[in-house]
Amino acid sequence: MTEATQRWTVGDARITSVVEAQTDGIPPVFFFPDVDEATVQRHAWLLPHFADPEGRIGLRVQAFVVEVAGRLIVVDPCVGNGKVREQPFWSEQSWPFMERFEAAGYDRADVEMVVHTHLHVDHVGWDTHLLDGRWVPTFARARHIYVGAELDAQAADEGIDARRIRDDSIAPVFEAGLADIVEPDADLGSGLRLAPTPGHTEGHASLWLTSGDHHALLTGDIIHHPVQCAEPAVGFVSDADDVLAAATRQKALAAAVDANALVLGTHFPSLPGGRVVADGAAWQFVPQPGTP
């Protein structure tokens, strides 16, 4: 299942997934060094939406659009088009993401805020697009939210992609005067608040939404795939601090259970929204299909 958009209602708010790309049939060791196909196969509930019978997994790149109190907010705007990146499957791509965004009924000029859980390549790309040979903000009327510690860590990263991200996806937003630097527990209004969730990156912050008695957790990269609900100690290949990331993941999953929150996994494939339920010493992810 790779619908271009899915929607969920959370109290008086609505959250929509807009898909950039999904890849299935991935050997899990490619992203999770300590996980093989047999480990995935031990958890039958991962089939058919998150893994195949051979124990290979799917992963997705998607943004979430939050509609609340008359506001339109984009969270983690994917890889983007036409950008040179180290990973060939993300480099100089031409995905119909913006067409899907518009087909879902959205206008980029109506976006009030763009939230970044962190500043990796697959979470900032659509902040800008190429216009007359220059990278310019895509959401030209939106405030772009950056956690200060995450910006500092990104600025200190001398990796090739980190430098490219600064040049083509971050600097144009600051030059346009559209950037706001916040604390990792910032209140963003209308029931939206950040929560510090370090480990994958130093300044990572997930996003909580509260509407009446209803709650949602937009994970960012504290968890990449539902297999980590069953195996919460398992780290992702690009986690900055495996031990801290695992502790953060377990704390966040427990909080989601306590709040009966709708959990929206940024990289979960096919059915990215659902509830986390306790399963012995770990958890299961029970998908809640969204509407098209």
Side-chain angles (χ1 to χ4, degrees), residues 24-232:
D24 298 306
I26 304 168
V29 71
F30 189 83
F31 287 112
F32 302 101
D34 298 323
V35 176
D36 58 14
E37 286 83 351
T39 302
V40 173
Q41 290 173 318
R42 286 204 301 266
H43 306 292
W45 58 268
L46 291 169
L47 277 72
H49 305 301
F50 310 119
D52 64 23
E54 287 71 41
R56 298 169 302 190
I57 63 172
L59 284 171
R60 172 181 285 188
V61 179
Q62 63 198 323
F64 291 112
V65 181
V66 180
E67 298 168 77
V68 60
R71 306 171 68 194
L72 191 64
I73 296 152
V74 174
V75 183
D76 285 341
C78 302
V79 175
N81 281 353
K83 295 185 173 180
V84 177
R85 299 294 185 245
E86 286 191 281
Q87 294 289 359
F89 47 80
W90 284 345
S91 188
E92 298 184 284
Q93 293 293 337
S94 182
W95 286 298
F97 174 85
M98 195 53 63
E99 289 83 354
R100 292 168 177 170
F101 180 85
E102 293 170 351
Y106 303 125
D107 187 325
R108 67 182 76 181
D110 294 332
V111 175
E112 175 186 317
M113 180 179 288
V114 178
V115 178
H116 308 98
T117 60
H118 64 298
L119 299 177
H120 279 169
V121 57
D122 49 332
H123 294 256
V124 299
W126 281 103
D127 282 346
T128 61
H129 66 286
L130 203 58
L131 180 65
D132 297 330
R134 295 177 57 245
W135 294 106
V136 299
T138 301
F139 308 105
R141 298 174 60 186
R143 304 308 303 175
H144 291 60
I145 304 301
Y146 302 90
V147 171
E150 183 69 9
L151 268 178
D152 291 343
Q154 207 286 332
D157 188 341
E158 289 303 317
I160 294 172
D161 267 357
R163 294 198 300 269
R164 288 171 175 159
I165 290 166
R166 287 197 289 277
D167 290 343
D168 63 33
S169 298
I170 297 177
V173 174
F174 275 79
E175 290 165 2
L178 297 175
D180 289 332
I181 301 173
V182 303
E183 295 298 321
D185 60 353
D187 184 340
L188 303 180
S190 306
L192 293 163
R193 63 176 177 85
L194 295 177
T197 46
H200 181 63
T201 63
E202 182 177 341
H204 192 287
S206 300
L207 181 66
W208 281 88
L209 166 66
T210 298
S211 179
D213 295 329
H214 302 272
H215 307 276
L217 170 62
L218 285 69
T219 64
D221 282 5
I222 56 173
I223 183 168
H224 284 80
H225 188 275
V227 71
Q228 290 176 289
C229 292
E231 306 278 350

